[in-house]
Amino acid sequence: MRRSMKKAAALTMAAVTALSLTACGGGKTEAPAAADKSADNAAADSSADGKVELVFSWWGGDSRHEATEKAIAAFMEKYPNISVTPEYGAWSGWEEKQSLNILGGNAADVMQINWNWIEAYSNNGTNFANLEDYSDVLDLTQFPESALELCKADGKLMAVPVALTGRLFYWNKTTFDEVGCAIPTDTDSLLAAGEAFKAYNEDYYPLALGEYDRMIFLVYYLEEMYNKPWVADGEIQYTAEEIQEGMDFICKLEEAHVIPTIATLQGDMADSLDKNAKWIDGKYAGIYEWDSSASKFEKAIVESTNKPGQEFVIGEFIDLGPNKGGFTKISMGLAVSATSAHPKEAAMLINFLLNEDEGIEISATERGIPCSAAAVKLLNEKGLGNALVKEANAKVLAYAPFALDTKFEHNDLKANPDGVYYKVFGKLSAGDIDSAKAAADLMDGVNECMGN
């Protein structure tokens, strides 16, 4: 919605500890001083009357929306000649809308983008501005060079990396305590939880996984079992039989009342799981989610009208096999549209949000643990940011051994409802196809997307 302001590639990662912040992809302990690249009069000569209008688009939960609107207000106070209109919403349907805007030349001036959008929508470096052209107002020295390289197309910097992220397990401890069940740590305890929850109330489930969640969980299972990346050098690294085994395991979780069926989730009529009444009221007691999303899921159950004050905790990585599974990725970037009439001022806004003290303090960890060394330094010094997000990020970076391949999040695969992941896991859950057919369809879809 639009509102006025009235209201993968390998990344070198530093070792992390459970409650510490680390700049993504870098091993620096001292951040270079963040230059205030955007001098107060930098935007004054950008238009005939000195007035500049920008649109900034992003998706997220309520806490991200609130923090970003506050940061925008601070930016406009600093630069009275620049007006920024926010455009934001939930993730559901967001990529489809924004892709049409990008490809149609109608994109917002500043965009929060997923990492894979660079490959999917940059049109080989032409649809987003080259941010290296605005390094006089955007301090690129704050970001690890390895992370910046992953944000390039045709040698042009399409976005600034915001954070590095991965998925891990979160649990509603209040519900597990009510059921009288231990939080799962391995396959046996996961299956035991399904049995206990079903006996307690058939509307209760220990874990909820949508179609895209199931795809990521499938890869986690396979990596735990076989210690191979999902894709390397543009090729799936698993056999049809291995993938079928993973599909069988997901079917087993449904049969054992560990996860609800896709039909059950669709019947909940919620745009996203954090807005699902069954999550909010504790009937779904577990998720497998990005570390950067922790705060919105926690807020949903803590502020539940029917059951306020539930306890949200980070779990252990569930031991599904003899190896460690899971991947990390650049969670998102901030980009400037190539059609923006004011790319310099747009770059100034990005610098304010990611590198300048005021923007850093307001945004904190709403988009995850920052890649900007200046942001990490300030958050550490002032003890700012969501402690849960910090702990989750440190935990996933210390555990997950694989990097996300660049095609994993391609719209042909993850779009809802027509992407391959949604079709395959929806049909498997409905019983329209068996696990062998699901594995074959998934492989065919991924290979087609990769051009194999």
mmCIF file of all heavy atoms in Angstrom, residues 362-394:
data_model
loop_
_atom_site.group_PDB
_atom_site.id
_atom_site.type_symbol
_atom_site.label_atom_id
_atom_site.label_comp_id
_atom_site.label_asym_id
_atom_site.label_seq_id
_atom_site.Cartn_x
_atom_site.Cartn_y
_atom_site.Cartn_z
ATOM 1 N N ILE A 362 17.692 3.845 14.637
ATOM 2 C CA ILE A 362 16.254 3.652 14.455
ATOM 3 C C ILE A 362 15.960 2.276 13.852
ATOM 4 O O ILE A 362 15.075 1.547 14.307
ATOM 5 C CB ILE A 362 15.664 4.755 13.563
ATOM 6 C CG1 ILE A 362 15.791 6.121 14.260
ATOM 7 C CG2 ILE A 362 14.196 4.470 13.248
ATOM 8 C CD1 ILE A 362 15.456 7.294 13.361
ATOM 9 N N SER A 363 16.707 1.903 12.825
ATOM 10 C CA SER A 363 16.456 0.634 12.122
ATOM 11 C C SER A 363 16.934 -0.567 12.919
ATOM 12 O O SER A 363 16.339 -1.648 12.846
ATOM 13 C CB SER A 363 17.136 0.657 10.748
ATOM 14 O OG SER A 363 16.652 1.709 9.953
ATOM 15 N N ALA A 364 18.043 -0.386 13.653
ATOM 16 C CA ALA A 364 18.605 -1.441 14.502
ATOM 17 C C ALA A 364 18.688 -2.766 13.744
ATOM 18 O O ALA A 364 19.349 -2.848 12.716
ATOM 19 C CB ALA A 364 17.809 -1.560 15.795
ATOM 20 N N THR A 365 17.974 -3.797 14.209
ATOM 21 C CA THR A 365 18.058 -5.114 13.577
ATOM 22 C C THR A 365 16.753 -5.500 12.880
ATOM 23 O O THR A 365 16.466 -6.681 12.688
ATOM 24 C CB THR A 365 18.409 -6.191 14.629
ATOM 25 O OG1 THR A 365 17.467 -6.112 15.711
ATOM 26 C CG2 THR A 365 19.806 -5.981 15.163
ATOM 27 N N GLU A 366 15.961 -4.512 12.467
ATOM 28 C CA GLU A 366 14.686 -4.803 11.825
ATOM 29 C C GLU A 366 14.848 -5.499 10.475
ATOM 30 O O GLU A 366 13.923 -6.128 9.979
ATOM 31 C CB GLU A 366 13.867 -3.527 11.654
ATOM 32 C CG GLU A 366 13.188 -3.058 12.927
ATOM 33 C CD GLU A 366 12.239 -4.093 13.507
ATOM 34 O OE1 GLU A 366 11.653 -4.878 12.744
ATOM 35 O OE2 GLU A 366 12.100 -4.119 14.735
ATOM 36 N N ARG A 367 16.012 -5.374 9.859
ATOM 37 C CA ARG A 367 16.288 -6.096 8.615
ATOM 38 C C ARG A 367 17.400 -7.116 8.825
ATOM 39 O O ARG A 367 18.068 -7.512 7.876
ATOM 40 C CB ARG A 367 16.646 -5.107 7.502
ATOM 41 C CG ARG A 367 15.454 -4.328 6.987
ATOM 42 C CD ARG A 367 15.806 -3.321 5.911
ATOM 43 N NE ARG A 367 14.602 -2.772 5.295
ATOM 44 C CZ ARG A 367 13.870 -1.783 5.824
ATOM 45 N NH1 ARG A 367 14.268 -1.225 6.960
ATOM 46 N NH2 ARG A 367 12.779 -1.361 5.218
ATOM 47 N N GLY A 368 17.582 -7.543 10.058
ATOM 48 C CA GLY A 368 18.620 -8.509 10.379
ATOM 49 C C GLY A 368 19.874 -7.829 10.905
ATOM 50 O O GLY A 368 19.925 -6.613 11.096
ATOM 51 N N ILE A 369 20.903 -8.638 11.148
ATOM 52 C CA ILE A 369 22.169 -8.109 11.621
ATOM 53 C C ILE A 369 22.881 -7.469 10.443
ATOM 54 O O ILE A 369 23.138 -8.113 9.430
ATOM 55 C CB ILE A 369 23.049 -9.225 12.228
ATOM 56 C CG1 ILE A 369 22.285 -9.937 13.343
ATOM 57 C CG2 ILE A 369 24.342 -8.636 12.765
ATOM 58 C CD1 ILE A 369 21.772 -9.056 14.446
ATOM 59 N N PRO A 370 23.225 -6.188 10.542
ATOM 60 C CA PRO A 370 23.708 -5.461 9.360
ATOM 61 C C PRO A 370 25.021 -5.974 8.795
ATOM 62 O O PRO A 370 25.864 -6.523 9.510
ATOM 63 C CB PRO A 370 23.880 -4.026 9.882
ATOM 64 C CG PRO A 370 23.054 -3.950 11.123
ATOM 65 C CD PRO A 370 23.098 -5.324 11.717
ATOM 66 N N CYS A 371 25.188 -5.736 7.497
ATOM 67 C CA CYS A 371 26.467 -5.947 6.842
ATOM 68 C C CYS A 371 27.381 -4.733 7.026
ATOM 69 O O CYS A 371 28.600 -4.867 6.983
ATOM 70 C CB CYS A 371 26.275 -6.189 5.342
ATOM 71 S SG CYS A 371 25.800 -7.872 4.909
ATOM 72 N N SER A 372 26.797 -3.561 7.196
ATOM 73 C CA SER A 372 27.587 -2.345 7.359
ATOM 74 C C SER A 372 28.428 -2.414 8.625
ATOM 75 O O SER A 372 27.904 -2.608 9.727
ATOM 76 C CB SER A 372 26.667 -1.127 7.430
ATOM 77 O OG SER A 372 27.350 0.005 7.926
ATOM 78 N N ALA A 373 29.723 -2.254 8.459
ATOM 79 C CA ALA A 373 30.613 -2.294 9.619
ATOM 80 C C ALA A 373 30.311 -1.154 10.579
ATOM 81 O O ALA A 373 30.412 -1.310 11.797
ATOM 82 C CB ALA A 373 32.067 -2.225 9.148
ATOM 83 N N ALA A 374 29.952 0.007 10.038
ATOM 84 C CA ALA A 374 29.606 1.136 10.890
ATOM 85 C C ALA A 374 28.383 0.811 11.743
ATOM 86 O O ALA A 374 28.328 1.159 12.932
ATOM 87 C CB ALA A 374 29.342 2.371 10.028
ATOM 88 N N ALA A 375 27.403 0.132 11.147
ATOM 89 C CA ALA A 375 26.200 -0.228 11.884
ATOM 90 C C ALA A 375 26.512 -1.240 12.978
ATOM 91 O O ALA A 375 26.027 -1.123 14.113
ATOM 92 C CB ALA A 375 25.162 -0.791 10.917
ATOM 93 N N VAL A 376 27.298 -2.244 12.659
ATOM 94 C CA VAL A 376 27.656 -3.257 13.644
ATOM 95 C C VAL A 376 28.376 -2.613 14.826
ATOM 96 O O VAL A 376 28.091 -2.906 15.994
ATOM 97 C CB VAL A 376 28.538 -4.346 12.996
ATOM 98 C CG1 VAL A 376 29.133 -5.259 14.057
ATOM 99 C CG2 VAL A 376 27.719 -5.164 12.012
ATOM 100 N N LYS A 377 29.317 -1.735 14.536
ATOM 101 C CA LYS A 377 30.090 -1.066 15.585
ATOM 102 C C LYS A 377 29.175 -0.263 16.510
ATOM 103 O O LYS A 377 29.271 -0.358 17.753
ATOM 104 C CB LYS A 377 31.143 -0.151 14.960
ATOM 105 C CG LYS A 377 32.078 0.536 15.937
ATOM 106 C CD LYS A 377 33.173 1.288 15.172
ATOM 107 C CE LYS A 377 34.190 1.910 16.126
ATOM 108 N NZ LYS A 377 33.603 3.048 16.879
ATOM 109 N N LEU A 378 28.258 0.499 15.930
ATOM 110 C CA LEU A 378 27.367 1.323 16.742
ATOM 111 C C LEU A 378 26.403 0.474 17.561
ATOM 112 O O LEU A 378 26.175 0.744 18.756
ATOM 113 C CB LEU A 378 26.585 2.283 15.835
ATOM 114 C CG LEU A 378 25.661 3.258 16.568
ATOM 115 C CD1 LEU A 378 26.483 4.263 17.363
ATOM 116 C CD2 LEU A 378 24.737 3.971 15.587
ATOM 117 N N LEU A 379 25.832 -0.559 16.944
ATOM 118 C CA LEU A 379 24.899 -1.412 17.669
ATOM 119 C C LEU A 379 25.588 -2.122 18.831
ATOM 120 O O LEU A 379 25.007 -2.278 19.912
ATOM 121 C CB LEU A 379 24.260 -2.429 16.722
ATOM 122 C CG LEU A 379 23.344 -1.879 15.625
ATOM 123 C CD1 LEU A 379 22.779 -3.016 14.790
ATOM 124 C CD2 LEU A 379 22.224 -1.035 16.190
ATOM 125 N N ASN A 380 26.819 -2.532 18.622
ATOM 126 C CA ASN A 380 27.571 -3.168 19.703
ATOM 127 C C ASN A 380 27.863 -2.187 20.829
ATOM 128 O O ASN A 380 27.698 -2.498 22.010
ATOM 129 C CB ASN A 380 28.881 -3.743 19.164
ATOM 130 C CG ASN A 380 28.725 -5.134 18.582
ATOM 131 O OD1 ASN A 380 27.834 -5.878 18.981
ATOM 132 N ND2 ASN A 380 29.573 -5.486 17.640
ATOM 133 N N GLU A 381 28.309 -1.006 20.453
ATOM 134 C CA GLU A 381 28.688 -0.006 21.455
ATOM 135 C C GLU A 381 27.499 0.409 22.318
ATOM 136 O O GLU A 381 27.640 0.628 23.522
ATOM 137 C CB GLU A 381 29.273 1.230 20.766
ATOM 138 C CG GLU A 381 30.671 1.027 20.199
ATOM 139 C CD GLU A 381 31.166 2.237 19.424
ATOM 140 O OE1 GLU A 381 30.339 3.145 19.160
ATOM 141 O OE2 GLU A 381 32.360 2.269 19.085
ATOM 142 N N LYS A 382 26.326 0.516 21.708
ATOM 143 C CA LYS A 382 25.155 1.019 22.419
ATOM 144 C C LYS A 382 24.208 -0.087 22.879
ATOM 145 O O LYS A 382 23.177 0.194 23.502
ATOM 146 C CB LYS A 382 24.402 2.020 21.541
ATOM 147 C CG LYS A 382 25.233 3.266 21.224
ATOM 148 C CD LYS A 382 24.353 4.431 20.803
ATOM 149 C CE LYS A 382 25.146 5.715 20.726
ATOM 150 N NZ LYS A 382 24.287 6.894 20.448
ATOM 151 N N GLY A 383 24.562 -1.321 22.583
ATOM 152 C CA GLY A 383 23.707 -2.422 23.006
ATOM 153 C C GLY A 383 22.330 -2.376 22.386
ATOM 154 O O GLY A 383 21.327 -2.732 23.019
ATOM 155 N N LEU A 384 22.266 -1.946 21.116
ATOM 156 C CA LEU A 384 20.990 -1.778 20.440
ATOM 157 C C LEU A 384 20.632 -3.019 19.624
ATOM 158 O O LEU A 384 21.483 -3.839 19.307
ATOM 159 C CB LEU A 384 21.050 -0.569 19.504
ATOM 160 C CG LEU A 384 21.286 0.783 20.175
ATOM 161 C CD1 LEU A 384 21.491 1.856 19.118
ATOM 162 C CD2 LEU A 384 20.122 1.149 21.090
ATOM 163 N N GLY A 385 19.368 -3.091 19.270
ATOM 164 C CA GLY A 385 18.912 -4.191 18.423
ATOM 165 C C GLY A 385 18.209 -5.265 19.223
ATOM 166 O O GLY A 385 18.359 -5.375 20.447
ATOM 167 N N ASN A 386 17.438 -6.061 18.526
ATOM 168 C CA ASN A 386 16.678 -7.141 19.138
ATOM 169 C C ASN A 386 17.612 -8.269 19.541
ATOM 170 O O ASN A 386 18.289 -8.864 18.706
ATOM 171 C CB ASN A 386 15.619 -7.638 18.134
ATOM 172 C CG ASN A 386 14.700 -8.676 18.716
ATOM 173 O OD1 ASN A 386 15.119 -9.768 19.045
ATOM 174 N ND2 ASN A 386 13.419 -8.331 18.818
ATOM 175 N N ALA A 387 17.650 -8.569 20.829
ATOM 176 C CA ALA A 387 18.558 -9.601 21.338
ATOM 177 C C ALA A 387 18.262 -10.958 20.720
ATOM 178 O O ALA A 387 19.172 -11.757 20.476
ATOM 179 C CB ALA A 387 18.465 -9.679 22.863
ATOM 180 N N LEU A 388 16.994 -11.221 20.461
ATOM 181 C CA LEU A 388 16.610 -12.497 19.859
ATOM 182 C C LEU A 388 17.179 -12.627 18.452
ATOM 183 O O LEU A 388 17.698 -13.683 18.064
ATOM 184 C CB LEU A 388 15.092 -12.602 19.822
ATOM 185 C CG LEU A 388 14.523 -13.958 19.416
ATOM 186 C CD1 LEU A 388 14.638 -14.932 20.569
ATOM 187 C CD2 LEU A 388 13.061 -13.813 18.999
ATOM 188 N N VAL A 389 17.090 -11.553 17.656
ATOM 189 C CA VAL A 389 17.626 -11.570 16.298
ATOM 190 C C VAL A 389 19.140 -11.744 16.333
ATOM 191 O O VAL A 389 19.715 -12.487 15.533
ATOM 192 C CB VAL A 389 17.238 -10.282 15.546
ATOM 193 C CG1 VAL A 389 17.917 -10.231 14.173
ATOM 194 C CG2 VAL A 389 15.726 -10.203 15.372
ATOM 195 N N LYS A 390 19.804 -11.062 17.257
ATOM 196 C CA LYS A 390 21.258 -11.202 17.380
ATOM 197 C C LYS A 390 21.642 -12.644 17.684
ATOM 198 O O LYS A 390 22.549 -13.215 17.074
ATOM 199 C CB LYS A 390 21.781 -10.288 18.493
ATOM 200 C CG LYS A 390 21.620 -8.811 18.262
ATOM 201 C CD LYS A 390 22.137 -8.050 19.484
ATOM 202 C CE LYS A 390 21.868 -6.568 19.381
ATOM 203 N NZ LYS A 390 22.320 -5.847 20.582
ATOM 204 N N GLU A 391 20.934 -13.225 18.658
ATOM 205 C CA GLU A 391 21.230 -14.610 19.036
ATOM 206 C C GLU A 391 20.959 -15.564 17.882
ATOM 207 O O GLU A 391 21.760 -16.471 17.598
ATOM 208 C CB GLU A 391 20.393 -15.005 20.248
ATOM 209 C CG GLU A 391 20.642 -16.438 20.713
ATOM 210 C CD GLU A 391 19.757 -16.849 21.872
ATOM 211 O OE1 GLU A 391 18.985 -16.014 22.378
ATOM 212 O OE2 GLU A 391 19.840 -18.035 22.275
ATOM 213 N N ALA A 392 19.833 -15.359 17.193
ATOM 214 C CA ALA A 392 19.472 -16.232 16.081
ATOM 215 C C ALA A 392 20.489 -16.136 14.957
ATOM 216 O O ALA A 392 20.906 -17.156 14.385
ATOM 217 C CB ALA A 392 18.074 -15.873 15.575
ATOM 218 N N ASN A 393 20.898 -14.916 14.611
ATOM 219 C CA ASN A 393 21.855 -14.729 13.527
ATOM 220 C C ASN A 393 23.184 -15.396 13.853
ATOM 221 O O ASN A 393 23.775 -16.085 13.009
ATOM 222 C CB ASN A 393 22.045 -13.241 13.256
ATOM 223 C CG ASN A 393 22.947 -12.973 12.069
ATOM 224 O OD1 ASN A 393 24.118 -12.646 12.231
ATOM 225 N ND2 ASN A 393 22.427 -13.116 10.870
ATOM 226 N N ALA A 394 23.661 -15.192 15.068
ATOM 227 C CA ALA A 394 24.918 -15.827 15.468
ATOM 228 C C ALA A 394 24.826 -17.347 15.405
ATOM 229 O O ALA A 394 25.746 -18.030 14.958
ATOM 230 C CB ALA A 394 25.295 -15.376 16.885
#
